[in-house]
């Protein structure tokens, strides 16, 4: 083994270390050898792609659903022998550095993402071929951000209009022990990564049970391959509110801080999309329709502290009768 080390590095173009359509990515391939090394081909590639794969059981048969889409592919040949395989190109002993430059196409592409059954990746790969039996490979991924301010706008322009609007929903449920009315309000539909949003629930508990609201962030990942579709959902519990005794009503507000690493909402990939909801539930045993979901769009942004302090019990009164 004459090649001791092979790596590919890139230079950052901003503080975030991310790239976007139209950016130029520069870097270097580093090869360390312990003596003169003949090579057949030495190259570096830049690639952007999306791919999905999942398995389904149909009877005794396992069916694989998969698909992929390539956004761009570039190749830069560092060294290649002129006689098609005689190993006439030479890499000197020691540390050898080979610079490269690629321009990322200025087209609509989704941001980097990795979900349950699919991912969107942007990468640099170097390959050094000494012979058909001796090939050295290395790879590094670079984070990519779409230029689209609203990568979900293609689904509905009304989403953009409603990002700053208050969201409200009401549900009236009838149980064996009585009627319960739940009103849920969120400050707005759009929230940036790292920001917080206040969610209020008003519970009119005209039943014989004590009820406790729970607050969730619901994630929905959708994957598509060859006209087939699958969904992966995940609920993140953000907290539990004060209990509402039987025959009383109470309003509780929970401040939900969106983790900075939460991937933003997106619809601009033909094979996958990511959506969110705010969900409030009441722990009523064996009851249906005891939850409310409100739309939530998570936007790209820097983490910011929430200025407002959470309001706990706003009011508490005995129901008449």
């Amino acid at each position: 083994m004459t090649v001791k080390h092979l790596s590919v590095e890139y230079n950052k173009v901003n503080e975030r270390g991310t790239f976007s359509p139209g950016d130029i990515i520069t870097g270097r391939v580093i090869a360390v050898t312990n003596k003169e090394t003949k090579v057949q081909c030495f190259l570096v590639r830049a690639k952007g792609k999306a791919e999905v794969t999942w398995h389904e059981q149909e009877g005794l048969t396992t069916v694989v659903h998969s698909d992929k889409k390539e956004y761009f592919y570039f190749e830069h040949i560092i060294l290649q022998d002129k006689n098609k395989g005689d190993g006439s190109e030479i890499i000197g002993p020691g540390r050898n550095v080979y610079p490269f430059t690629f321009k990322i196409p200025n087209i609509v592409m989704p941001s980097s993402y990795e979900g349950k059954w699919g991912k969107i990746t942007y990468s640099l790969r170097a390959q050094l071929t000494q012979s058909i039996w001796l090939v050295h490979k290395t790879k590094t991924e670079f984070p990519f951000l779409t230029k689209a301010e609203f990568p979900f706008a293609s689904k509905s322009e009304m989403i953009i209009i409603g990002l700053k609007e208050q969201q409200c929903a009401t549900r009236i449920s009838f149980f064996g022990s009585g009627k319960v009315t739940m009103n849920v309000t969120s400050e707005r539909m759009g929230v940036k990564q790292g920001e917080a949003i206040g969610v209020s629930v008003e519970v009119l508990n005209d039943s014989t049970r004590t009820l406790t609201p729970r607050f969730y962030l619901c994630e929905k990942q959708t994957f598509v391959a060859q006209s087939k579709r699958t969904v992966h959902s995940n609920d993140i519990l953000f907290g539990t509110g004060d209990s509402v005794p039987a025959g009383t009503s109470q309003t509780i507000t929970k401040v939900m801080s969106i983790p900075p690493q939460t991937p933003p909402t997106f619809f601009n990939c033909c094979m996958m999309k990511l959506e969110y909801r705010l969900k409030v539930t009441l722990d009523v045993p064996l009851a249906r329709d005891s939850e409310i979901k409100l739309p939530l769009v998570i936007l790209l942004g820097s983490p910011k502290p929430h200025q407002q302090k959470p309001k706990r019990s706003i009011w508490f009164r005995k129901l008449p009768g």
Side-chain angles (χ1 to χ4, degrees):
M1 294 292 291
T2 59
V3 178
K4 297 171 59 178
H5 171 81
L6 181 67
S7 64
V8 58
E9 302 174 352
Y10 62 86
N11 302 315
K12 295 182 179 181
V13 294
N14 54 43
E15 291 182 356
R16 282 190 155 191
T18 58
F19 294 85
S20 295
D23 284 346
I24 294 176
I25 181 167
T26 61
R28 66 209 63 83
V29 179
I30 301 171
V32 180
T33 62
N34 55 17
K35 64 178 182 179
E36 283 193 352
T37 303
K38 293 183 178 181
V39 300
Q40 291 184 359
C41 187
F42 189 12
L43 54 82
V44 59
R45 301 183 179 103
K47 190 174 187 179
K49 67 177 181 178
E51 54 186 339
V52 297
T53 301
W54 75 90
H55 300 77
E56 290 182 357
Q57 200 69 30
E58 296 182 2
L60 299 177
T61 306
T62 300
V63 180
V64 180
H65 300 286
S66 64
D67 203 354
K68 62 181 178 179
K69 177 180 176 61
E70 191 174 276
Y71 295 107
F72 62 83
Y73 177 90
F74 299 113
E75 183 176 281
H76 170 65
I77 296 176
I78 299 171
L79 293 172
Q80 187 172 33
D81 62 4
K82 299 178 177 61
N83 297 314
K84 299 182 180 180
D86 67 353
S88 60
E89 291 292 343
I90 302 295
I91 294 179
R95 186 175 187 268
N96 300 271
V97 180
Y98 302 93
F100 62 82
T101 299
F102 293 111
K103 182 174 182 180
I104 300 173
N106 195 9
I107 58 176
V108 176
M109 292 179 285
S111 298
S112 301
Y113 174 71
E114 183 167 359
K116 180 69 174 178
W117 294 299
K119 58 184 178 179
I120 303 166
T121 57
Y122 298 85
S123 62
L124 295 164
R125 302 167 186 255
Q127 178 174 311
L128 191 158
T129 303
Q130 291 182 260
S131 70
I132 193 173
W133 308 111
L134 192 55
V135 180
H136 308 274
K137 296 180 180 180
T138 186
K139 170 189 172 183
T140 186
E141 294 183 2
F142 58 90
F144 183 85
L145 283 180
T146 180
K147 274 188 174 179
E149 185 179 3
F150 304 111
F152 45 81
S154 58
K155 183 171 182 178
S156 174
E157 295 296 330
M158 293 302 294
I159 292 180
I160 300 176
I161 298 174
L163 287 177
K164 298 181 180 180
E165 300 295 325
Q166 190 181 68
Q167 308 294 307
C168 304
T170 299
R171 183 176 295 280
I172 301 175
S173 303
F174 294 90
F175 311 120
S177 61
K179 182 179 77 169
V180 174
T181 302
M182 179 168 57
N183 302 308
V184 176
T185 303
S186 68
E187 291 178 343
R188 58 195 183 279
M189 184 168 63
V191 59
K192 292 183 178 181
Q193 296 166 308
E195 285 188 340
I197 183 170
V199 183
S200 297
V201 55
E202 178 188 6
V203 180
L204 284 73
N205 185 9
D206 193 8
S207 75
T208 59
R209 298 178 181 272
T210 295
L211 304 177
T212 303
R214 290 185 170 87
F215 300 82
Y216 296 85
L217 173 65
C218 303
E219 177 192 52
K220 180 182 176 182
Q221 304 174 17
T222 303
F223 303 92
V224 179
Q226 300 169 349
S227 301
K228 298 292 183 178
R229 178 177 175 271
T230 189
V231 173
H232 172 69
S233 299
N234 182 39
D235 291 355
I236 304 169
L237 177 63
F238 264 77
T240 301
D242 296 339
S243 296
V244 183
T248 66
S249 60
Q250 187 175 352
T251 297
I252 302 162
T253 296
K254 185 73 175 178
V255 174
M256 300 172 63
S257 296
I258 306 301
Q261 68 273 16
T262 304
T265 302
F266 71 87
F267 298 133
N268 62 343
C269 176
C270 62
M271 292 190 299
M272 64 191 85
K273 65 180 178 179
L274 179 63
E275 303 170 85
Y276 295 96
R277 297 286 188 275
L278 293 172
K279 182 172 77 172
V280 180
T281 67
L282 295 176
D283 61 341
V284 183
L286 304 177
R288 296 181 179 179
D289 301 328
S290 60
E291 67 178 37
I292 288 179
K293 290 183 179 181
L294 294 176
L296 180 70
V297 175
I298 296 182
L299 305 165
L300 182 70
S302 302
K304 294 180 181 178
H306 190 66
Q307 299 299 321
Q308 274 188 324
K309 293 183 178 180
K311 301 175 183 176
R312 297 298 294 172
S313 302
I314 298 177
W315 51 267
F316 182 91
R317 72 170 187 267
K318 190 79 173 176
L319 289 174

